[in-house]
Amino acid sequence: MARNTIRKDENTTRRSKKELILRLSVYLKPYKKESAIVIGLMLFVMLCSVLNPYLLEIAIDDKVANHDVMGLLEIGGVLLVLNLVAWAVSIIRWKKIYSINNNILLNIRRELYTHIQDLSFDFFDSRPVGKILARVVGDVNALKNLFNQSIQLLIPQLLNLALLSIAMLMLNVKLALVCIALLPILAIAMFCIEIFSRRRWEIYRKKRSNLNAFTHEEFSGVKVVQSFAKEKDTNDEFKHFVKNLKKSWNSAVRLNDMFWPLVELSAGIATVIVFSVGYKLVISGEIAIGTLIAFSMYAGMFWRPIMNLSSFYNTLVTNLSAADRIFDILDVKPDIKDAEDAEKMDKINGKVEFKNVGFAYEEGADVLRDVNFNVEPGERVALVGATGAGKSTIVSLLSRFYDVTSGEILVDGKDIRKVKLESFRNQMGIMLQDTFLFSTTIMENIRYGRLDATDEEVIAAAKAVDAHEFIIKLEKGYDTEVNERGSRLSLGQRQLVSFARALLANPRILILDEATSNIDTQTERLVQRGIEKLLQGRTSFVIAHRLSTIRDCDKIMVVEGGRIIESGNHDELITKRKAYYGLYSAQYEFLNEGA
């Protein structure tokens, strides 16, 4: 998957209008009944509108000409009642339109969010988070007007146009043909504008996505920005992104704004021609003055649906790029997914086996090559080695965040690619160096390990890892809000909370990836007993650069250059005086020098 940055425009696939409209129409299907009711209500309102000029013609040519005051009052009463009913029906129609529209957007956003959650890590590695947010929020919002106008404009206005055309032809064929004659010219002009307009809106949405990604990244790293006094530099960069966004917006809008003048110019020319021809017809006695007045009203009404349809077409062109960007994400297939014949993973005992495992990231060199090892249930295994040796990749493959390029990984004798992902990961516990806490209370952050846990179980888990003491000293104890990413807590405190969360989840296989690296020596002593309880009875994989923390592991594997070059317990490896001995000696020599 191609990588993207905040300063690089995203690549999007341009789909045909037909394909986009068909795919978007799928979201309307669950609301066919409600949409039909809305269209019915709109037809009633349109019928009322169409009757107004007809009744007015009767009032002028019949009732006024014959001095029929009572008849004129009757027609006036009918017009009043008809328009009041139409007004009430319009209110009901609008409420239903907004309800349908909001539900459709909710469904699209939910589908997009759910789909993104299922995508592999490579998807998130390949683009800034801000650009993903731009699609989930901004691009979905851009479809609001499109669906709104699809329901209230497209079909109803086409029907309205047909009704008005019939009414005008019934009044006078010559005038009707004159009024309709300019439509083909207008259609050709609008089509030409659309060709260039869509491309400009694509550029605008890419620039907006870049701005969104930049803003998200800078605010996430605001401590770094301020610590290096780079506010002015980032402000200049922000201005650059805004300038590009403004330029792309002006370019797109400038062309789009030509839609309305074209329609209004066509309507104005048609009106002038209709009155010119109509005047001659009245003078010649071919039509009455009431007919011309009624027809002029119909002509005005005739161009209203054309303007509305032009508005819909304008909205369609404006938002096609947003639909493209949404479907680009929905069309991404997860790299990691359940096989068709995948079975549910039974309760894991904890036997792990790597058989000739090899792995390489896309378009990259091999990260792991021919990795082989066996771990018995309940064993504690440490992975040590230099940064980039492949330690984290091994545990990522075991967690099935990625699939092996070659070989296989077996848990209790089952290839993890052939079991249901959810049933497998539910029994895994993973604690990373960069502990992530959610913007909620400490209680809810710990409960995330098992959502049905009681408050008492949460507190018991915190006590087991010695987190309880510092929690109860906070202003609201377990109900203390930790802010985004747990920024209110120290690094060590965040790790303690994550220990409690992992213990509450009660995983069968536990992975600690540098999980104690952010804990000071004093805090480390406090949590050793909790860690012991956490590891007890579970197959555990521990990655640690601080070798003192893994001396008691049952097996220590030294990873170098994507291979396991040495394996054994601490005493065995020290006796061999090879790679592990070198790492251990170098670390203690460094510590002694520091002392």
Side-chain angles (χ1 to χ4, degrees):
M1 185 177 294
R3 265 51 181 173
N4 189 261
T5 66
I6 60 175
R7 293 168 180 81
K8 182 180 178 182
D9 289 346
E10 298 169 282
N11 292 323
T12 54
T13 302
R14 179 182 286 193
R15 296 162 181 82
S16 66
K17 289 195 292 291
K18 180 181 178 182
E19 180 185 353
L20 287 175
I21 291 171
L22 288 175
R23 291 188 67 169
L24 289 172
S25 65
V26 172
Y27 296 100
L28 272 169
K29 284 186 178 180
Y31 306 98
K32 287 187 294 186
K33 183 178 178 181
E34 291 87 344
S35 298
I37 293 173
V38 168
I39 292 173
L41 295 175
M42 293 186 74
L43 286 175
F44 177 80
V45 174
M46 290 175 196
L47 185 61
C48 293
S49 298
V50 171
L51 285 174
N52 282 332
Y54 175 72
L55 293 174
L56 187 62
E57 180 196 18
I58 295 174
I60 295 173
D61 289 346
D62 186 9
K63 306 304 179 184
V64 173
N66 296 317
H67 305 287
D68 186 354
V69 177
M70 289 301 298
L72 191 62
L73 290 175
E74 288 175 359
I75 291 178
V78 170
L79 282 170
L80 179 63
V81 172
L82 200 63
N83 284 280
L84 283 175
V85 173
W87 173 72
V89 170
S90 292
I91 293 175
I92 299 172
R93 177 196 70 184
W94 278 109
K95 286 183 178 179
K96 286 191 172 293
I97 286 175
Y98 286 131
S99 175
I100 295 170
N101 194 30
N102 289 332
N103 285 331
I104 289 173
L105 292 182
L106 178 65
N107 292 338
I108 294 175
R109 205 185 306 275
R110 184 185 292 127
E111 180 184 347
L112 188 60
Y113 178 80
T114 303
H115 178 74
I116 291 173
Q117 279 194 314
D118 291 335
L119 294 178
S120 312
F121 278 14
D122 192 49
F123 172 82
F124 299 95
D125 294 340
S126 65
R127 69 200 72 211
V129 173
K131 293 196 175 185
I132 300 174
L133 293 176
R135 303 204 188 198
V136 177
V137 180
D139 291 329
V140 173
N141 284 342
L143 297 180
K144 184 174 183 178
N145 287 336
L146 182 59
F147 280 108
N148 191 18
Q149 293 190 25
S150 295
I151 299 170
Q152 69 163 326
L153 290 182
L154 185 57
I155 296 176
Q157 295 301 326
L158 286 172
L159 292 172
N160 192 18
L161 196 60
L163 287 173
L164 289 167
S165 298
I166 293 171
M168 288 193 300
L169 287 168
M170 290 175 64
L171 271 179
N172 189 276
V173 175
K174 290 181 180 179
L175 292 176
L177 293 176
V178 167
C179 194
I180 297 171
L182 290 176
L183 288 183
I185 300 173
L186 176 63
I188 293 171
M190 291 177 65
F191 179 75
C192 292
I193 291 175
E194 183 269 333
I195 294 174
F196 298 100
S197 180
R198 182 175 177 183
R199 172 60 182 161
R200 295 188 182 188
W201 281 109
E202 287 174 356
I203 294 172
Y204 161 72
R205 296 197 184 282
K206 290 176 182 179
K207 299 303 181 185
R208 190 184 65 175
S209 183
N210 291 347
L211 174 63
N212 197 76
F214 172 80
T215 306
H216 179 272
E217 184 177 86
E218 292 306 308
F219 286 161
S220 297
V222 68
K223 289 183 179 179
V224 177
V225 173
Q226 292 182 358
S227 65
F228 284 91
K230 295 297 183 183
E231 292 90 342
K232 184 180 183 303
D233 293 330
T234 55
N235 189 45
D236 290 340
E237 282 194 85
F238 181 77
K239 289 179 180 178
H240 171 73
F241 281 104
V242 171
K243 181 180 178 181
N244 286 339
L245 182 67
K246 178 184 175 182
K247 182 179 177 181
S248 62
W249 166 262
N250 288 339
S251 177
V253 169
R254 192 178 298 117
L255 191 58
N256 254 64
D257 284 346
M258 292 179 66
F259 272 98
W260 287 110
L262 272 174
V263 177
E264 291 176 350
L265 179 63
S266 301
I269 293 173
T271 302
V272 171
I273 295 174
V274 164
F275 273 103
S276 298
V277 175
Y279 172 76
K280 292 180 180 180
L281 294 177
V282 171
I283 295 300
S284 65
E286 191 171 334
I287 61 172
I289 187 67
T291 302
L292 179 59
I293 293 173
F295 191 92
S296 65
M297 292 182 67
Y298 278 129
M301 294 170 63
F302 175 79
W303 283 98
R304 197 178 306 151
I306 291 176
M307 289 182 179
N308 289 334
L309 289 170
S310 299
S311 175
F312 170 76
Y313 188 70
N314 196 4
T315 302
L316 178 65
V317 171
T318 302
N319 294 291
L320 283 176
S321 57
D324 271 331
R325 288 164 56 82
I326 290 170
F327 289 130
D328 270 349
I329 299 291
L330 291 175
D331 290 343
V332 175
K333 303 299 181 185
D335 295 329
I336 308 300
K337 57 183 178 181
D338 290 336
E340 292 183 3
D341 57 348
E343 299 178 353
K344 182 179 179 181
M345 188 73 180
D346 298 326
K347 184 177 180 180
I348 292 175
N349 292 319
K351 181 177 175 61
V352 177
E353 185 176 2
F354 273 53
K355 285 187 174 182
N356 303 315
V357 169
F359 177 74
Y361 293 104
E362 186 178 344
E363 300 177 357
D366 289 344
V367 179
L368 297 178
R369 295 184 295 277
D370 296 323
V371 174
N372 291 275
F373 63 81
N374 288 292
V375 178
E376 296 301 319
E379 274 193 327
R380 303 179 187 183
V381 180
L383 299 171
V384 300
T387 300
K391 306 183 298 297
S392 294
T393 302
I394 289 174
V395 296
S396 293
L397 292 174
L398 176 58
S399 307
R400 212 187 162 205
F401 293 146
Y402 305 93
D403 273 337
V404 298
T405 306
S406 61
E408 57 182 358
I409 300 174
L410 306 177
V411 173
D412 293 347
K414 295 181 179 179
D415 190 330
I416 61 174
R417 292 172 296 184
K418 297 180 180 179
V419 298
K420 292 188 179 298
L421 197 58
E422 184 178 2
S423 67
F424 175 66
R425 285 191 182 158
N426 277 340
Q427 302 185 67
M428 299 283 294
I430 304 166
M431 295 179 57
L432 305 175
Q433 178 180 358
D434 183 18
T435 301
F436 188 92
L437 298 183
F438 296 95
S439 302
T440 183
T441 63
I442 291 177
M443 177 73 74
E444 293 306 314
N445 267 290
I446 298 176
R447 185 178 278 123
Y448 196 79
R450 181 160 56 84
L451 297 178
D452 60 350
T454 63
D455 290 354
E456 290 73 20
E457 289 173 321
V458 170
I459 294 172
K463 287 180 177 178
V465 297
D466 286 333
H468 179 73
E469 185 176 347
F470 93 80
I471 294 175
I472 59 174
K473 290 179 180 179
L474 297 173
E475 56 187 55
K476 294 184 180 179
Y478 284 86
D479 292 325
T480 301
E481 297 278 345
V482 299
N483 295 345
E484 188 174 4
R485 302 182 69 88
S487 60
R488 292 190 61 181
L489 305 179
S490 69
L491 295 175
Q493 289 172 333
R494 291 180 223 168
Q495 293 287 13
L496 291 173
V497 172
S498 71
F499 282 164
R501 182 166 61 191
L503 182 62
L504 188 65
N506 192 27
R508 303 305 305 157
I509 297 177
L510 181 66
I511 295 171
L512 304 179
D513 189 352
E514 293 289 346
T516 60
S517 63
N518 291 327
I519 298 178
D520 56 54
T521 304
Q522 182 178 358
T523 306
E524 184 181 350
R525 293 195 188 101
L526 291 175
V527 301
Q528 282 302 323
R529 185 177 60 186
I531 293 176
E532 284 296 319
K533 186 169 184 179
L534 195 60
L535 300 179
Q536 188 175 1
R538 298 178 175 88
T539 302
S540 306
F541 289 80
V542 181
I543 297 176
H545 284 112
R546 195 183 300 176
L547 300 184
S548 61
T549 62
I550 50 94
R551 289 185 56 169
D552 296 330
C553 286
D554 300 307
K555 185 182 295 183
I556 299 172
M557 295 188 291
V558 182
V559 185
E560 183 179 297
R563 297 176 182 271
I564 295 176
I565 61 171
E566 199 173 14
S567 179
N569 62 37
H570 174 76
D571 293 334
E572 291 172 347
L573 295 178
I574 290 293
T575 303
K576 288 180 180 180
R577 289 178 170 265
K578 293 185 179 179
Y580 179 76
Y581 177 81
L583 290 171
Y584 192 81
S585 299
Q587 188 169 112
Y588 273 85
E589 183 179 344
F590 172 78
L591 291 174
N592 288 330
E593 288 177 357

